[in-house]
């Protein structure tokens, strides 16, 4: 028998562990034009209180690369997720435990 998966937004399901490429923002080049924020299909671009780009919500980013393509100053680069294998994860999550991140 099959099952039915109920719809959810990217804010309900932490799908960022699916990606193979990770966006990295060069804050020196970023002019906060907000093109990436407007067009991100997963609402992954973080803004500060002043409305300026401050980072990427990696729990939700699927690595589509749209932000990199839209950036007029080339402030966003897509890097292979494997290059972050030894990096400390901000919230201590283990990247191999995908099921632990689905709410």
């Amino acid at each position: 028998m099959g099952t039915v998966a109920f719809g959810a937004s990217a804010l309900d399901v932490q799908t960022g562990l699916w990606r193979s490429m990770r966006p990295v923002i060069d804050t020196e080049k970023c002019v906060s034009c907000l093109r990436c924020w407007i067009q991100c299909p997963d609402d992954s671009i973080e803004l500060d209180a002043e409305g300026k780009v401050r980072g990427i919500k990696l729990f939700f980013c699927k690595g589509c690369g749209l932000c990199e393509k839209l950036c007029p100053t080339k402030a966003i680069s897509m890097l292979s997720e494997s290059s972050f294998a030894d990096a400390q994860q901000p919230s201590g999550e283990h990247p191999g435990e995908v099921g632990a991140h689905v709410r």
Side-chain angles (χ1 to χ4, degrees), residues 17 19 22 46 54 56-59 81 84 86-95 101:
L17 295 175
R19 75 179 168 270
R22 179 187 293 197
E46 289 183 304
R54 73 167 228 217
I56 309 266
K57 296 179 234 171
L58 294 176
F59 274 121
E81 198 62 46
F84 298 94
D86 295 329
Q88 176 68 31
Q89 300 299 318
S91 62
E93 74 272 7
H94 185 280
H101 302 287

Side-chain angles (χ1 to χ4, degrees), residues 11-103:
L11 297 177
D12 293 330
V13 182
Q14 297 178 351
T15 54
L17 295 175
W18 297 352
R19 75 179 168 270
S20 60
M21 300 295 286
R22 179 187 293 197
V24 175
I25 299 176
D26 180 342
T27 55
E28 297 295 318
K29 291 182 181 179
C30 180
V31 295
S32 287
C33 67
L34 302 183
R35 289 181 187 181
C36 58
W37 177 77
I38 292 168
Q39 294 295 322
C40 179
D42 293 307
D43 192 30
S44 298
I45 307 299
E46 289 183 304
L47 302 181
D48 63 16
E50 297 173 359
K52 296 188 180 205
V53 175
R54 73 167 228 217
I56 309 266
K57 296 179 234 171
L58 294 176
F59 274 121
F60 306 110
C61 172
K62 292 180 187 65
C64 70
L66 188 58
C67 55
E68 178 189 43
K69 300 291 183 206
L70 292 169
C71 185
T73 62
K74 307 294 183 211
I76 302 174
S77 302
M78 297 300 290
L79 303 178
S80 173
E81 198 62 46
S82 63
S83 63
F84 298 94
D86 295 329
Q88 176 68 31
Q89 300 299 318
S91 62
E93 74 272 7
H94 185 280
E97 298 173 354
V98 177
H101 302 287
V102 179
R103 290 191 264 172

